[in-house]
Amino acid sequence: MTGSEQIVTTEYAEFDVELQLESGRLLGPLTLAYETYGALNAKRSNAILVTHAWTGDAHAAGRHTPEDRKPGWWDDMIGPGKVLDTDRYFILCSNVIGSCGGSTGPTSINPRTDRPYRLGFPVVMVRDMVRAQKLLIDRLGIDSLLTVIGGSMGAMQALEWGILYPETTRSIIPIAGTGRTSPMSIAMNAMARQAIFNDPMWKKGNYRPEHPPADGLALARAVGHITFLSEPSMNLKFGRRFSVRDGIFDFFGKFEVERYLEYNGSNFVERFDTNAFLYLAKALDLYDVAWNFDGREDALSRLHCPSLWFAFTSDWLYPPYQTEEVVEILRRLNSPVEYHLIESDYGHDSFLVEPEKFTPYVVEFLERQENSGER
């Protein structure tokens, strides 16, 4: 059975708790949506947590029904005989809080008002997402994670796992991530926010789900999507080709790259909530591993487990130097760290488009962690 032939079901864990967030506010009760692939071994020592990116969800692999057109977002990686081999490992992926993929977020019902949270939802940080995930890991009776692996926002979560829960996290694999969000990335997210805020249908977050601020969200997604690509990939995919449906001298005619962004934006509106998009963008902007520590070195001194880092040459959202800054600090701290700069023309999305370029290192790394035994 290949990963894409797996039929999987999203499960939901309910927690009658109030999670204290980094903001000081309390959030609860909580629901976490998650999926699992493979089985725990007798020692319960083969668990791998996969952490998703900004607009990802718990559906990392397989299909929910045989009729599904597309499998989960990392199906190339997860399944029997694949890099994250489900004949060997127990794979878990949960939707982060603040999202709209089944976990508690701005679309959820606020128990204090019996109405959706909307903008009454508290601001969450990546560290809050990880603390919520720890509730799920504990619920499932998993005392040890062989690794935590994820790309982009998933890389931030992996790093936080290693720092917050060293007794649980045996290794981490951050891919295309950063130790702190740069002003350039924040600026791009600011443009996306303004696209939404300026849509009259947003109504300060009080839109009806059946009438979302579709134009604003589609434009915001297009802005974000540009940062996931690169100039070489755009040249390769689109060049300067004009849309065949338009005349060159039609004032509203579009290049193929414009049509592509328009298409992706409109599709995104159908699957993602606008307020959730905004809350997760805020979490990305706020990310700094040094938060509540005395600088990055102090924070990273808490990372004792082996770590395997990847950056991609054409990634301009989280360019390689940002990963290398973290790696250099870890090396100065004599932390067991491994780093690979991967040549790719696909920008930030390289970790999704060309996994074959870095997965051999992942396989070797996981074998070493298994052979080293449980700490």
Side-chain angles (χ1 to χ4, degrees), residues 342-359:
I342 306 298
E343 290 282 343
S344 176
D345 288 337
Y346 287 96
H348 186 63
D349 268 354
S350 296
F351 76 97
L352 296 171
V353 179
E354 293 187 313
E356 69 279 1
K357 288 193 171 182
F358 66 88
T359 49

Side-chain angles (χ1 to χ4, degrees), residues 78-103:
I78 301 169
K82 297 186 179 182
V83 178
L84 303 181
D85 188 350
T86 49
D87 289 334
R88 188 172 185 173
Y89 307 118
F90 175 69
I91 312 299
L92 167 69
C93 182
S94 74
N95 185 229
V96 299
I97 57 171
S99 187
C100 56
S103 294

Side-chain angles (χ1 to χ4, degrees), residues 34 37 47 64 68 144 151 162 256 258 350 355:
Y34 69 99
Y37 320 89
H64 290 144
D68 283 355
S144 169
E256 286 291 352
E258 293 178 273
S350 296

Side-chain angles (χ1 to χ4, degrees), residues 123-142:
V123 170
V124 295
M125 298 181 73
V126 171
R127 198 164 291 171
D128 298 319
M129 300 171 185
V130 169
R131 289 198 175 105
Q133 290 166 354
K134 182 61 162 59
L135 295 174
L136 177 60
I137 296 300
D138 291 344
R139 171 73 61 84
L140 296 175
I142 299 172

